Amino acid sequence: MYKEIDIDYYKYIYENTIKQIEEIYNYYNIVIDNIELEVYMSPADYLVCRNISYIYSAIEYAKKNIEYWYQIIENKRKIRVVTNHNNLTLDHYLKSDKPYLISWESSNIDMPIYDLISLYTNNYLDFDFTELLDIYLTKYPLTKEEMVLFLTLISIPKKITKQESMYKTVLNIRRELDYLYKTSELVKKYNITKKTQEE
């Protein structure tokens, strides 16, 4: 189903994403500045420093991709919408004779990519998302602008939160880095920006 929108809808997504990207870029700049003040690096700081170029690459990719997305949708006035679960995780999927999703109290009407983003960010280590996405796309292909926005939003790194112990902090950083590495492979597979720019 498609619905008419005004340009402010796309502008809001664009500006909100740019703000998110700038905030995460500034956050990691501060993290690195603080690490450089330390005489000895902790294991957590060392892990961040070893991978900071990869983090910055993900930020740069997201920044370029959101600009590209804004270019390809600037003249569009219709958006494809579906009923989204809006909190999609494997925990909400019940497999029985007839599989179904539970906990629909947060459902909304929006672009289909948001449930994909939710499922990916919540369960990226639990199954092969690429295989699932391949199956999904054969039945419900994403439009060019939807795929570009999807890859943009999942590529934005998360903040690293300190835990109650160094061990748990390192595990948390490792999970965030695993997310970035797995996302990078997903982006390479679809390579949507290069493909669409050549069209």
Side-chain angles (χ1 to χ4, degrees):
M1 176 174 74
Y2 284 82
K3 74 173 184 179
E4 295 279 346
I5 59 163
D6 61 42
I7 196 168
D8 288 339
Y9 177 82
Y10 288 134
K11 187 178 179 183
Y12 170 79
I13 294 174
Y14 170 75
E15 290 180 347
N16 190 55
T17 305
I18 287 290
K19 181 181 178 183
Q20 187 180 354
I21 292 168
E22 289 176 348
E23 285 179 354
I24 204 68
Y25 176 74
N26 292 332
Y27 167 80
Y28 278 104
N29 279 342
I30 292 170
V31 167
I32 292 299
D33 286 345
N34 288 336
I35 290 173
E36 289 176 348
L37 295 175
E38 300 292 334
V39 177
Y40 298 105
M41 284 190 206
S42 68
D45 291 344
Y46 179 73
L47 192 55
V48 172
C49 285
R50 278 288 303 272
N51 293 276
I52 194 62
S53 62
Y54 205 84
I55 294 169
Y56 282 143
S57 292
I59 293 170
E60 184 62 23
Y61 169 80
K63 187 175 181 180
K64 287 181 179 177
N65 233 34
I66 194 62
E67 296 292 349
Y68 178 59
W69 173 80
Y70 203 46
Q71 288 174 19
I72 63 178
I73 54 84
E74 63 181 345
N75 295 319
K76 295 182 184 290
R77 293 296 174 268
K78 285 187 177 180
I79 187 172
R80 187 169 66 139
V81 295
V82 298
T83 301
N84 279 321
H85 183 278
N86 203 33
N87 188 24
L88 192 57
T89 72
L90 291 180
D91 292 339
H92 293 146
Y93 175 74
L94 297 186
K95 191 173 183 179
S96 60
D97 293 338
K98 190 175 181 181
Y100 59 96
L101 291 171
I102 60 171
S103 302
W104 284 86
E105 58 270 11
S106 299
S107 65
N108 66 355
I109 304 296
D110 210 330
M111 287 187 283
I113 63 167
Y114 290 117
D115 265 353
L116 291 173
I117 291 169
S118 179
L119 182 61
Y120 180 70
T121 56
N122 286 320
N123 299 108
Y124 64 95
L125 291 178
D126 301 321
F127 65 97
D128 185 351
F129 186 83
T130 301
E131 183 178 344
L132 181 144
L133 188 57
D134 282 341
I135 295 169
Y136 179 90
L137 293 175
T138 60
K139 296 182 178 182
Y140 311 103
L142 294 179
T143 64
K144 180 195 298 186
E145 57 269 24
E146 287 168 349
M147 181 61 87
V148 172
L149 186 58
F150 168 72
L151 293 174
T152 299
L153 296 179
I154 65 171
S155 295
I156 302 172
K158 309 294 186 295
K159 291 182 179 180
I160 292 170
T161 54
K162 288 189 176 181
Q163 306 297 316
E164 61 270 22
S165 71
M166 180 60 66
Y167 174 73
K168 289 186 177 180
T169 299
V170 169
L171 283 182
N172 183 53
I173 295 170
R174 185 68 263 169
R175 278 193 295 269
E176 293 303 328
L177 292 172
D178 287 344
Y179 174 87
L180 290 181
Y181 288 125
K182 188 164 186 178
T183 303
S184 175
E185 292 304 309
L186 190 65
V187 168
K188 285 177 185 175
K189 175 175 171 59
Y190 291 97
N191 206 21
I192 193 69
T193 303
K194 288 185 179 178
K195 286 180 182 177
T196 50
Q197 285 175 337
E198 288 168 0
E199 291 176 1

